[in-house]
Each structure stands twice: as C-alpha cells, then as structure tokens.
Amino acid sequence: MEFNNPKEAARIYEEYSRVKGFAVRQGKKIKNKRGEFVWITYLCNREGFRNKKWLEKQDRKREHKVVTRCGCPAKMRIKPRIGTGKWFVARFVNDHNHDLLPQKFVEYLPAHRRISDVDIAHMDSLRQVGISIPKIYESIAAQAGGFNRLSFTKRDMYNEVRRQRSLQNGDVNAALRFLEVASRRDEKMYWRYEVGVGQHMCDLFWSDGRSQEDFKLFGDVLAFDATYGRNKYNLPVVVFSGVNNHNQTCVFATAMVSSETQSSYVWVLRKFLECMDGRAPKAIITDGDRSMRLAIHEVFPDAHHRLCAWHLLKNAISNVCMPRFTSLFRHCMLADIEVEEFELQWEAMVSECGVKDHKWVKDLYSKKLLWATAYIRGRFFAGIRMTSRCESLHAKLGRFVESRYGILEFITNFQQCVEFLRDNEDELEFRSSYGTPVIQTEFPELEKSGAMNFTREIFARYRESLKRCVRVTVLGCIESEGTCTYVTQKYRRPEKRWSVTHHGMSDTFVCTCLRMESFRLPCVHILAVLVRLDIGSLPKSLVLQRWSKAAKVEMSGVNQVDNTEAFYRSRVGAFLQHCKRFARVACQSEENFKVYTEKVVKDTLRLEMINGDAGAGAGSPHAAQGVRDPIGVRTKGTGRANELVGSRAVKRRKCSTCGCLGHRRTRCPNGPRVTTSYTEQNTMPSQRMPNRDLTVSYAGNESNTCRRRVG
C-alpha cells in the first residue's frame, strides 16, 4: 500500500489493529543527514519487555500493574518513495505471540479509547452546572445508545479533567487568567488578590458589573456569612448578598480568605468598599463572629450591625441550657414592643430563670442594641432578622460546587450559580409585569395602586396590611400648621394607640409604630388614614423605589464583547441538537444509515482539510507569574478532622473503662475479670437454647453479683 503521509499510514494501521484485536504504538523514527525521515515503524503495543528494575523494586507504595509487554514481533515499517513524495510499506509482520482480543474488548485498550472534541465540550458544559462525571458519562451513553457504543470510559473523562488542570500552570494562575478575560468582557469587573508567605495566594475578592449595579439599588442592607468545605484548600468563602425588589437574594460580591481573622475581614471589606465606589451599606447582618464584628466596626463605622437571631437562640441553648429561658428570650428579642416594655420583660425573665449574674447573659444584654427589636425599630433591614438567606444561598451553591474543586473550578461554577439566581429574577420580573392580580379587599383603588407600583411578592405583603386596616379606627384629628395628626386605635383595644402625622406640603406620612421606616411599606395605621381621607392611590412617599417594579428600569447595562470560547460551546450545543434530530431519521433504515454516514464522514474529512491546524497556536494568555496555589487551612468549619487537605482522619476507638485509645471496653487489659456460672433450668434435649440463670461475678468485688434471666 501507498500513503500520502505518515499520519494517513498511522490511521489506517490503527483501524486495521482495531479490527484484528490489538493496539498500535509508534516505534523508531530514523532521519538522514538532512533531517528528513527515511523510515518510521509502528509496533504492536505489546512489543518489548518491562524493565527488570521496576519488577525488582522493593520499597513500592502501590501494587504492581499487570505485565502486558511480551515481546510481540508484529509491526509495520514505512519509507518515502523517492520522487513521488508518497510513503510505502517496506516491511510488514503480521505474526503475534499473544492472543488477539475479541471485538467487544478492543474498545477497552487505551490506544483505542479517546474522547472527541464534541464530547469534551459537552462534558465541560455539564460540569459547569454542577453535574458529576458519573452522571455525565451515563448521559452521553444514553444518547449514544448504550455504554458499549462509547469510545471512552469514566477514567478517561477524569484524565481529561486532570489534563486540563495540568495545562493551567497552577490553579491560582488559571483563576487569575479567567478573571482577567472576564474583565475584558465586563469593563466593570473588579477583582483583587493578596499573597502571603512564599508567594502563596491567601485572599481573593471579585465582583462583576451586574452585582455592582445591584448594590447601587439594593445595597442599603448587606448580609454576609462564611461557608466552608467548598474547595479543596478549605478556604472559607464569604458571599456578600442582599435583597432585591422581589424579596429575592442577590449576590453583590464574593471573597475567599485563608484565615478568619480581623485583618483578613478588614482587607475584604475594604476591597468591597473600593469596588462599590466608596458606598457603604446602612445595615449589616452577620452571625456575630467577633472578627467580623470588629472588622465591620473599623471599615463601616456608621452602619448599624444586627446579629443573627437564629445564632443567638442557638448560643442561648448551649450556654444557659434552660428551655424556659430560651422561650422567654425569643419573645424578648423578636417581639415588636416598646423599649420600656422590653426592659420590664427582661428583668422578669432573668429573675424567673435565675440567670441575673450569668456571664453570658450579662454580655448578651450589653449588646441589646444589636439584636433587640425594641431598639432596632425604625432602622431598615429589609425584613431580615437572621442569616438564613445566606444559609439558603450556601445550599444552592452546594448544587454547583464540590469540596474537591480548585479555585478556577469554584469561580466558574459559582458564577453559574449567580446566573441561575439572575434567571430566577428575570422570571419574577416577567410575572410582576404580566397580568393583574385579582382584587380581594374592600378598597379596590388602593389595592390596584399597590398592584401597579409594587412587585408581585411585595404586593402580597401590602395587601395583607390593607386587609387588616379595617380593624383600625381613626379616633380624631389634631391640626396644626402644615400638619395633621391622626390618632388611631386597634378595634376594642383602647390601650393600643398610634399617631399618624400627615405633612401636607410634602404629602408624607409618619407613624409612631415606625413600621414604614422598618420595612419601607405603609403600615395598617397609615392605610387607615388613607381610607379616612378617601385617597384612591398611594402617594409617592409611600412607594419605596427599591420595592417597585421600576427599580431596575434605569439600570445601565454591562458592556460586553464577544467571547469566542462561549460562542464555540454554544455553537457545538446547537449543532448537536440538529445532529440528534438527523440521526433519529437517518437511522431508521439500513440503506439511509450507510448513505448518510458516508456523506458525513466525507464532509468531516473535507472540513478537517480546510481548517487544518487553524487556531492551534492560539494558546492561553501568559499566566500571572509568581503566584502559587493556596495552602490548605484549618477553620472552624473544617470539622474535627486531625489532618488537612487531601487526607481522611480516622476516628480511633476509645475504651469507656480506662479511657485509653486503641481498644474497646470488652478488650480492656485493665478491666474487671469476669467469671460466669450457669444454672440450667431446663435440660430438655429438644430445646436449642434452654432458659437459665446467668450469674456474673466481678473479681474486683466478689459480693457484687447480678442474676439475669436468659433464654
């Protein structure tokens, strides 16, 4: 046979080996003085023998791999034909000294296992949304018609992932290149990192353009908490989040820190402040971590800090261990009461439970401005009382990232999680703008006005207040210069009175219950006054921009440029859908299958010849030099493991008698000596287990015996 080039010869010999039941590898390649190849040899993969030094090695850490080299003589040698430029077979040996494999086993040979570019692109796209390799393998097998139709195994997919990581010149450098490319697409993309001892990365912060735009609109309230076990370095991940106009969690920024110290949090918060053009939040909710609290006080001194109610109740259970105290403390913390009433209830609680001098209770009382609703009333927290939104966000994040992910994989999959949240937001925008809610109250004009201004989720809360305002009675009005003060009372509750002041010039309403200031929604007392004044639409002063449908109308879009890699993956995905549809039709008959398969193969070869090696030299941009991967850390979220990253801590047995490790009570060498005696009660031979009295005597105390009925 003659071939146009060595690649064609290698391809044909490889196809021949697949049919015969063996695999091929390349042998010697001989050049002449001019550097031209004069002959190339292709061998059976079982040619040669394993070096003896590997067989005789003593200090092995792994078991020997099976020996596959047996000195097989089969080979093909090709040489160039002078004058024509073609290659011909100069020597061909078809004799094998081993059994050839059946066809069903040939695909398991490494030389015949390979993943196509289409399958790699498919795998990468599914991994970005948090789907595991085994599930991806099952999905591709189902599309191919069975596992036996695949030309690769799960191990090959893991090897491809490992190969991609090895080409990144370090995990951190690849992540920094990814952020650099993202900043070209998004001109507002902000990212900073800090290196520590040995040039190891220790802190990383990033925020994209849309997150910064969201912060401008909804950044008055900020909640953040650390989550653990989201990467292979055990770096805590701090997600800065808030609440948008749909009462849905939105992400403002993300950071990874190497230590949960005050200095680390100060660095992160300063980068956050720099990223947001110096705009600080007005209110912050955290879990009460001391390092966080001190860092917030240093960077955001004017922001009101609120402690998470759930964490406080959890600490109350662990520190006081009194259910009655926990119940009373919950009421004191969350009840919407006046300050005087809070103080009376607190004194009654500590006296009843006898914890007046308890150190933790006294420290808790000194921080009452950070958690008591009575003292927090009038400050806007968007209805957030605990970091459960952060925990919910962390749970969603767990669907996209795994603990074995590196920095690059975490960032790419985290951004997918953010895109998932934004897609939900777009759906809520559609629901709020499409259709009109059914009128359910006795005040249709006010209800329609709320439906036109508020988003669907906020309107539901507004309508509940509108339903309850019928229970409020306006007792009278006190007029003064430019203002009218209305005294309201709850139905048959004369001790519950509130004053609503209406400023005529500015058309604003202020209620002594401070619900409008706390939640930015009109309270039942203000709504009762609107009904009294026969007002048919909500004044602009009662419609907060952050809760309205038009909150993001004027938000500037984030400038983007073409992303070649993203467009390539989208084209592959779109073309795959057409191929699947074509395959279902073309494979219904044997004749169509042969005809269209031949056409597809010809067209593929033609396109490969046209494209050639286009883009082969388009490598990744130069890696950031000098930055090394982080060092695995221990944090409060790491757990009780004794080792760091990449190892498993083994829980050793502990004896309950002597307290020593390594054995149980029944095998304790220092334990009591046990002697047993049996008194047979029934010796009938037909009984398999007779009833008997068991007497156990301990050597340490002969008089201490126990009798137990056994049987």
Side-chain angles (χ1 to χ4, degrees):
M1 296 182 64
E2 288 189 347
F3 313 101
N4 294 321
N5 49 59
K7 289 185 178 180
E8 181 181 349
R11 180 177 57 81
I12 292 177
Y13 191 46
E14 182 179 346
E15 291 298 328
Y16 171 79
S17 67
R18 184 192 300 271
V19 175
K20 296 292 288 184
F22 68 99
V24 175
R25 60 184 175 88
Q26 187 174 276
K28 290 184 179 181
K29 300 169 67 174
I30 305 300
K31 293 182 180 180
N32 57 18
K33 294 181 179 180
R34 297 188 298 272
E36 300 172 347
F37 289 107
V38 294
W39 53 270
I40 302 175
T41 305
Y42 299 97
L43 309 170
C44 172
N45 70 324
R46 303 191 68 173
E47 184 271 344
F49 298 93
R50 183 177 297 182
N51 197 318
K52 288 185 178 181
K53 70 176 183 178
W54 304 119
L55 297 174
E56 299 173 355
K57 190 175 181 180
Q58 299 297 328
D59 55 341
R60 295 189 61 88
K61 296 182 179 180
R62 294 184 180 180
E63 184 65 26
H64 286 278
K65 290 185 178 180
V66 296
V67 177
T68 57
R69 298 288 184 92
C70 59
C72 180
K75 59 183 172 182
M76 181 183 77
R77 180 177 297 170
I78 59 173
K79 292 183 178 181
R81 193 179 296 279
I82 300 175
T84 62
K86 293 190 176 183
W87 295 69
F88 66 96
V89 179
R91 186 178 182 186
F92 180 73
V93 179
N94 196 29
D95 298 328
H96 296 265
N97 63 354
H98 57 86
D99 295 333
L100 299 179
L101 292 175
Q103 282 300 309
K104 64 177 182 179
F105 294 145
V106 171
E107 298 298 333
Y108 290 101
L109 291 172
H112 296 313
R113 298 199 321 251
R114 59 175 56 90
I115 309 180
S116 64
D117 294 339
V118 174
D119 290 327
I120 292 175
H122 189 192
M123 178 185 69
D124 292 340
S125 62
L126 293 180
R127 288 184 68 244
Q128 288 181 359
V129 295
I131 302 179
S132 62
I133 292 295
K135 293 296 182 182
I136 298 175
Y137 184 69
E138 294 174 8
S139 173
I140 297 177
Q143 295 176 4
F147 293 98
N148 58 336
R149 300 281 184 178
L150 297 181
S151 61
F152 55 89
T153 62
K154 278 189 295 185
R155 175 50 54 193
D156 297 323
M157 299 177 71
Y158 283 114
N159 291 340
E160 174 61 27
V161 173
R162 189 180 298 109
R163 187 191 67 83
Q164 293 177 5
R165 291 173 180 169
S166 65
L167 295 177
Q168 294 167 358
N169 190 23
D171 187 20
V172 170
N173 291 325
L176 297 181
R177 287 198 301 270
F178 173 82
L179 293 173
E180 182 180 357
V181 173
S183 63
R184 297 172 188 167
R185 302 195 308 265
D186 182 358
E187 61 181 11
K188 295 185 178 181
M189 182 73 181
Y190 180 94
W191 55 281
R192 296 289 186 273
Y193 66 93
E194 189 177 37
V195 296
V197 180
Q199 291 297 307
H200 291 279
M201 192 205 76
C202 54
D203 300 321
L204 176 65
F205 176 92
W206 74 92
S207 174
D208 61 8
R210 180 164 175 177
S211 295
Q212 297 170 39
E213 294 290 341
D214 286 341
F215 183 79
K216 291 180 181 179
L217 300 173
F218 313 116
D220 45 2
V221 179
L222 177 67
F224 68 93
D225 190 18
T227 179
Y228 309 95
R230 303 300 184 186
N231 54 81
K232 65 181 182 181
Y233 307 104
N234 279 339
L235 298 181
V237 179
V238 182
V239 182
F240 297 87
S241 60
V243 180
N244 60 16
N245 56 333
H246 299 281
N247 197 32
Q248 181 202 36
T249 302
C250 57
V251 176
F252 298 141
T254 315
M256 303 178 76
V257 295
S258 59
S259 61
E260 297 175 286
T261 59
Q262 180 182 350
S263 59
S264 294
Y265 284 126
V266 166
W267 182 87
V268 169
L269 292 179
R270 283 178 177 169
K271 296 305 173 185
F272 181 87
L273 191 63
E274 179 183 331
C275 170
M276 303 305 172
D277 297 328
R279 174 174 174 157
K282 298 178 181 179
I284 300 177
I285 300 97
T286 68
D287 61 356
D289 181 82
R290 184 175 182 274
S291 300
M292 269 188 198
R293 190 169 68 251
L294 295 176
I296 291 171
H297 182 71
E298 179 178 345
V299 182
F300 302 136
D302 298 329
H304 190 80
H305 184 197
R306 182 171 186 172
L307 300 180
C308 172
W310 183 84
H311 283 87
L312 289 176
L313 291 173
K314 180 182 177 182
N315 293 335
I317 295 173
S318 60
N319 286 278
V320 181
C321 302
M322 190 181 300
R324 178 61 177 168
F325 172 82
T326 305
S327 177
L328 294 175
F329 170 62
R330 178 186 180 87
H331 182 266
C332 285
M333 177 172 56
L334 302 179
D336 191 7
I337 55 180
E338 300 295 333
V339 174
E340 296 78 8
E341 188 175 353
F342 168 81
E343 295 293 343
L344 293 175
Q345 290 189 9
W346 180 268
E347 288 296 330
M349 178 187 67
V350 296
S351 300
E352 178 184 345
C353 299
V355 292
K356 193 170 185 178
D357 297 327
H358 196 285
K359 182 179 179 180
W360 182 84
V361 175
K362 292 168 66 176
D363 181 65
L364 179 68
Y365 180 75
S366 65
K367 302 174 184 176
K368 59 185 177 181
L369 297 179
L370 304 181
W371 53 264
T373 304
Y375 288 94
I376 293 176
R377 281 175 55 194
R379 296 185 175 91
F380 181 59
F381 282 94
I384 304 177
R385 295 186 298 187
M386 55 189 71
T387 57
S388 57
R389 283 184 177 270
C390 298
E391 302 296 338
S392 176
L393 179 60
H394 298 163
K396 290 186 179 70
L397 180 60
R399 295 167 47 190
F400 291 85
V401 300
E402 298 179 11
S403 59
R404 57 184 175 84
Y405 280 1
I407 305 297
L408 175 63
E409 289 177 307
F410 175 85
I411 293 177
T412 55
N413 285 272
F414 178 83
Q415 290 302 114
Q416 289 291 330
C417 179
V418 173
E419 292 298 327
F420 172 76
L421 294 177
R422 290 170 180 171
D423 180 69
N424 291 342
E425 180 182 348
D426 294 339
E427 183 180 355
L428 293 175
E429 288 278 0
F430 163 74
R431 292 183 179 179
S432 295
S433 61
Y434 186 77
T436 305
V438 178
I439 302 301
Q440 300 180 11
T441 66
E442 301 176 7
F443 314 106
E445 291 81 6
L446 287 175
E447 188 174 357
K448 286 181 181 179
S449 178
M452 292 182 61
N453 287 284
F454 297 120
T455 60
R456 190 69 58 84
E457 287 70 22
I458 303 303
F459 169 72
R461 296 188 175 189
Y462 165 77
R463 182 162 57 186
E464 289 300 319
S465 298
L466 196 60
K467 289 179 180 179
R468 296 199 308 269
C469 77
V470 297
R471 305 176 187 173
V472 178
T473 305
V474 180
L475 300 178
C477 175
I478 303 174
E479 296 186 6
S480 60
E481 189 174 340
T483 62
C484 295
T485 302
Y486 299 88
V487 180
T488 62
Q489 173 189 314
K490 199 171 183 179
Y491 177 69
R492 297 184 63 84
R493 297 287 297 275
E495 73 280 1
K496 297 288 186 180
R497 293 190 177 186
W498 297 268
S499 298
V500 179
T501 302
H502 177 215
H503 299 271
M505 295 294 295
S506 59
D507 198 19
T508 58
F509 294 82
V510 179
C511 182
T512 54
C513 73
L514 300 178
R515 181 178 175 83
M516 183 63 193
E517 289 74 15
S518 300
F519 300 99
R520 298 293 196 267
L521 286 173
C523 62
V524 293
H525 318 111
I526 293 178
L527 293 176
V529 172
L530 294 180
V531 173
R532 167 74 177 269
L533 298 177
D534 198 23
I535 296 177
S537 62
L538 285 172
K540 292 184 178 180
S541 61
L542 298 181
V543 180
L544 187 66
Q545 181 73 8
R546 77 168 338 273
W547 294 135
S548 67
K549 294 179 180 179
K552 304 185 74 171
V553 170
E554 299 179 356
M555 188 179 76
S556 59
V558 180
N559 296 329
Q560 293 188 357
V561 297
D562 291 341
N563 184 356
T564 306
E565 182 64 23
F567 282 130
Y568 168 73
R569 289 198 299 266
S570 64
R571 288 196 298 267
V572 170
F575 194 77
L576 274 175
Q577 300 303 319
H578 294 293
C579 291
K580 292 175 185 177
R581 182 180 176 187
F582 178 76
R584 283 196 297 268
V585 179
C587 296
Q588 291 181 359
S589 66
E590 183 70 21
E591 182 180 357
N592 288 338
F593 171 75
K594 293 180 179 179
V595 171
Y596 289 108
T597 299
E598 184 178 356
K599 288 184 178 180
V600 169
V601 171
K602 287 183 178 180
D603 291 340
T604 303
L605 293 175
R606 180 176 58 83
L607 289 175
E608 287 178 347
M609 294 292 293
I610 294 174
N611 294 335
D613 296 330
S620 302
H622 293 293
Q625 300 296 327
V627 183
R628 302 172 64 185
D629 293 346
I631 301 175
V633 299
R634 279 289 306 274
T635 64
K636 65 181 182 181
T638 308
R640 301 176 61 184
N642 297 324
E643 303 293 336
L644 290 179
V645 182
S647 62
R648 293 181 180 176
V650 179
K651 184 178 179 181
R652 299 186 63 188
R653 292 176 175 175
K654 184 176 181 180
C655 177
S656 60
T657 301
C658 66
C660 298
L661 297 175
H663 64 272
R664 294 176 294 181
R665 174 177 59 85
T666 55
R667 297 179 179 271
C668 181
N670 301 324
R673 181 164 43 85
V674 180
T675 60
T676 60
S677 63
Y678 296 90
T679 304
E680 298 292 344
Q681 294 264 331
N682 192 345
T683 57
M684 293 291 292
S686 61
Q687 285 187 306
R688 300 178 58 186
M689 183 179 289
N691 295 329
R692 57 190 180 274
D693 285 338
L694 173 62
T695 302
V696 182
S697 300
Y698 289 89
N701 188 357
E702 294 293 343
S703 62
N704 185 11
T705 62
C706 63
R707 300 178 64 85
R708 179 181 177 189
R709 188 72 172 174
V710 181

